[in-house]
Amino acid sequence: MTTRPWDSDDLCDLRELRLRALWSAFRREGLAFWLLCVYLMFEYVRPQSIFPALALFPWATTTMMATAVAWLAGRPTARVSTPANWFLLLYSVLLLLSSIGAYRPRESFSQFDGYFLWVVAYGLIILIVTTERRMLLMLLAFVLFNVKMTQFAFRNWMAIAFHFRASGTGGAPGWFANSGEFGIEMCMFLPIILYLTMGLRPHLSRWKFFALLGIAGTAIVGIVASSSRGALVGGAAVMLFMLARSKRKARALASVIVIGTLIFVAIPPESKLRMSNSGADLTSQLRLTYWTRGIEITNDHPLLGIGYGNWAAYYGDHYDGPVQQAHNSVLQAASELGYPGLLSLLLLVGCSFALNARSRALAIRAGPDGRLTYNLAIGLDGALIGFLVSGFFISALYYPFFWINLAMTVALATVAKRLPVTSPARLSTRVGDQLRFGAARGIAEENPESSQLFPVRQRRART
C-alpha cells in the first residue's frame, strides 16, 4: 500500500522540526527549489550588500535566472491556474501601457526591473512550491532570513541603550535598510511566524514551541525599534486582526492587553511624543501634502496615470517644495497607473483574501491533515493586513512585501487543493483534532454522529 505524502513519516518529522529530517528533505527537493531559496536569501539577507567583495556580481538576478533554467530543465508538467495570474497580467499590461505614455517614458523603462523581476519571482514560487513539504521548508527559510534582520535590529537598538533614534533601526541592506520598510516587514513577519507556530503546535516539543514564540517576540521588538509610526499602527492592526480571528476571545484579549502594555512601556518617550503629534508635526504635514497632490495628480490623469516610476520627475516639475515619494503605496499605484491600475491592484488584494478563505475551507475538509494549511492561510491574511496598513504611510509597492506574500498565498492554495478529503466514515475519529483549530461546528452539522468525541490518532512515537 502506497503511503500518502501527507501521512508519511518524513513529513511528520518535518512538522516536528527535526533538523536531520529538515536537511534530508531539503536535499531531496532538487536544484530548482535550492536555487529559489538561495534567491530569496539574496533578496532578504543581502550578503552582497553587507560584504563589498560580493557586490561585484548580480547575485539576486543571476540566481533568479538560474532557478528558472533549473525549473525548465526539470521538464515541468504541472500548471497553476488561479484568478491571481489574470489579475497580475492585467496589472502588468496597465503598467506597460502607462510606461509607454508616461510623462517621461525613459524613467519608466529604466525601472522595469523594479517590477517585472517580482513577476518572475512570483511565477517561480507558485510553480516550484506545490507541496506542503516545500511550503514548510520555504517558510522556515523565510523565518531564518527575518530572524537575521531582527537580531541585527535588536543589537543596534541595544547599542543605544534602547533609547530613541530619529532614523530608527533598519534590517538588511537594500529593501529593508530604511526603518519604515523594516517596520513593514516586521508587521508581515509577525502573523506568519505566529500562525506557523500554531499550525505546528501539536507536533512540537515544549521548548521548540516557546522558541518559535520567542522569534515572534523579536518581530514585535523590531516594530518598536524601527521608530516608525506606520509600523506601530500596522502592528496594532495585526493584533486586532488576530484578536478577531481567535476562537477564545477572552484569552486572546488578555494576551493583546499584556503585549500592548509591554510595547507601550518599551516605546521611548520621544516615539510616544511623535505619535501624539501625528497630523501636526512637519513630517505629517508633508505627507498630507503629498497625499492631497497625489489625489490631484490621479484626477488629472485618470486613465493611465503619469507613468510607472514617474512620481519624482512629475512632482518636481509641477510642484514646489521637497521632492519625495508619495508616502502611500495605494496612491503610488493610482497616480502612476491611473484608476484602472488602482482597480487591478485592489483586485489582487481581494483575490489574496479569497484564495486564503478557499484554502481554509479545503483545510477544514482535510481534518487534522489541514491544520498547518489552515493556520498559514490566516497568517498570510494577517501579513497582507500588516502591509496594507503600514504601507499606507510609505511608498513600498514595488518592494518584496506584497508580491512575495501574493506568491505564498497562491502556492498555499495549490497545497490546499492537494489535501485529502476526509470521508464521513473517518471524520468522527478526528473531531478532537478538529476542535483544536475551530472547525468542529461545521463538521457536526454535516455529520451528527461526529458530535461524540472519539480517541484521536496519536502522533508517531519518537525514536
Side-chain angles (χ1 to χ4, degrees), residues 185-424:
E185 178 63 18
M186 291 300 99
C187 288
M188 300 183 72
F189 177 50
L190 176 60
I192 289 177
I193 180 60
L194 276 176
Y195 282 100
L196 173 64
T197 303
M198 298 310 297
L200 296 174
R201 184 174 185 178
H203 308 276
L204 298 177
S205 61
R206 184 178 296 272
W207 77 267
K208 289 179 181 177
F209 173 70
F210 283 107
L212 289 179
L213 287 183
I215 292 175
T218 65
I220 297 176
V221 171
I223 292 174
V224 177
S226 71
S227 298
S228 169
R229 289 178 288 189
L232 288 172
V233 175
V238 170
M239 291 287 187
L240 292 176
F241 165 79
M242 291 189 291
L243 176 61
R245 289 291 319 183
S246 175
K247 300 295 181 180
R248 300 177 178 179
K249 290 292 191 295
R251 179 182 297 182
L253 180 60
S255 299
V256 168
I257 292 174
V258 171
I259 294 173
T261 302
L262 292 176
I263 291 175
F264 182 80
V265 172
I267 294 176
E270 294 87 348
S271 292
K272 296 176 183 176
L273 181 61
R274 289 186 73 222
M275 290 295 294
S276 63
N277 289 336
S278 296
D281 63 311
L282 180 61
T283 303
S284 298
Q285 290 295 324
L286 193 58
R287 274 184 167 84
L288 291 173
T289 300
Y290 288 139
W291 295 353
T292 301
R293 292 176 176 174
I295 295 173
E296 180 182 315
I297 292 172
T298 305
N299 290 333
D300 290 341
H301 303 81
L303 187 57
L304 291 175
I306 57 176
Y308 164 67
N310 270 245
W311 170 276
Y314 184 91
Y315 192 95
D317 290 345
H318 290 77
Y319 297 98
D320 296 327
V323 179
Q324 298 179 9
Q325 292 301 317
H327 287 287
N328 186 300
S329 297
V330 175
L331 269 180
Q332 182 181 11
S335 60
E336 293 185 348
L337 307 184
Y339 285 112
L342 174 61
L343 177 61
S344 62
L345 176 64
L346 296 179
L347 287 173
L348 283 169
V349 171
C351 185
S352 294
F353 287 124
L355 285 174
N356 284 327
R358 177 61 176 167
S359 295
R360 288 192 292 273
L362 293 173
I364 289 174
R365 291 172 55 191
D369 292 319
R371 178 188 175 103
L372 179 60
T373 298
Y374 182 90
N375 280 277
L376 287 178
I378 300 176
L380 290 171
D381 272 351
L384 183 54
I385 289 174
F387 167 73
L388 292 174
V389 176
S390 55
F392 193 82
F393 305 94
I394 299 176
S395 295
L397 182 57
Y398 301 112
Y399 283 60
F401 310 118
F402 177 72
W403 312 105
I404 298 299
N405 192 77
L406 177 65
M408 288 182 178
T409 297
V410 174
L412 186 66
T414 301
V415 172
K417 291 177 182 178
R418 297 188 173 195
L419 290 172
V421 178
T422 304
S423 64

Side-chain angles (χ1 to χ4, degrees), residues 26-308:
F26 183 78
R27 286 191 306 168
R28 295 199 306 269
E29 287 303 337
L31 182 61
F33 183 76
W34 301 344
L35 289 171
L36 177 64
C37 292
V38 173
Y39 161 70
L40 292 175
M41 183 269 293
F42 278 117
E43 289 290 18
Y44 279 81
V45 181
R46 305 286 290 186
Q48 68 271 35
S49 299
I50 298 174
F51 304 103
L54 296 177
L56 301 177
F57 192 76
W59 293 99
T61 304
T62 302
T63 52
M64 171 185 283
M65 298 308 158
T67 303
V69 171
W71 177 76
L72 291 172
R75 297 182 180 180
T77 57
R79 295 178 59 188
V80 179
S81 179
T82 169
N85 292 343
W86 294 103
F87 294 146
L88 185 61
L89 176 62
L90 173 63
Y91 189 89
S92 300
V93 170
L94 290 172
L95 185 141
L96 179 60
L97 292 175
S98 76
S99 300
I100 295 173
Y103 176 68
R104 291 184 185 175
R106 184 174 296 181
E107 291 284 342
S108 298
F109 297 142
S110 67
Q111 300 179 54
F112 264 16
D113 59 343
Y115 168 72
F116 284 104
L117 285 181
W118 297 127
V119 176
V120 176
Y122 165 87
L124 292 174
I125 290 173
I126 70 170
L127 292 171
I128 295 173
V129 184
T130 56
T131 65
E132 182 179 325
R133 183 182 294 106
R134 290 183 177 180
M135 188 76 196
L136 179 56
L137 289 172
M138 184 184 69
L139 281 173
L140 291 175
F142 179 79
V143 169
L144 289 178
F145 302 154
N146 279 273
V147 167
K148 175 65 175 67
M149 283 191 278
T150 59
Q151 64 85 21
F152 175 78
F154 180 80
R155 187 177 60 192
N156 283 351
W157 196 30
M158 185 172 62
I160 59 173
F162 305 106
H163 289 156
F164 173 78
R165 182 164 55 189
S167 60
T169 182
W175 303 115
F176 315 106
N178 182 276
S179 61
E181 281 79 17
F182 171 68
I184 295 177
E185 178 63 18
M186 291 300 99
C187 288
M188 300 183 72
F189 177 50
L190 176 60
I192 289 177
I193 180 60
L194 276 176
Y195 282 100
L196 173 64
T197 303
M198 298 310 297
L200 296 174
R201 184 174 185 178
H203 308 276
L204 298 177
S205 61
R206 184 178 296 272
W207 77 267
K208 289 179 181 177
F209 173 70
F210 283 107
L212 289 179
L213 287 183
I215 292 175
T218 65
I220 297 176
V221 171
I223 292 174
V224 177
S226 71
S227 298
S228 169
R229 289 178 288 189
L232 288 172
V233 175
V238 170
M239 291 287 187
L240 292 176
F241 165 79
M242 291 189 291
L243 176 61
R245 289 291 319 183
S246 175
K247 300 295 181 180
R248 300 177 178 179
K249 290 292 191 295
R251 179 182 297 182
L253 180 60
S255 299
V256 168
I257 292 174
V258 171
I259 294 173
T261 302
L262 292 176
I263 291 175
F264 182 80
V265 172
I267 294 176
E270 294 87 348
S271 292
K272 296 176 183 176
L273 181 61
R274 289 186 73 222
M275 290 295 294
S276 63
N277 289 336
S278 296
D281 63 311
L282 180 61
T283 303
S284 298
Q285 290 295 324
L286 193 58
R287 274 184 167 84
L288 291 173
T289 300
Y290 288 139
W291 295 353
T292 301
R293 292 176 176 174
I295 295 173
E296 180 182 315
I297 292 172
T298 305
N299 290 333
D300 290 341
H301 303 81
L303 187 57
L304 291 175
I306 57 176
Y308 164 67

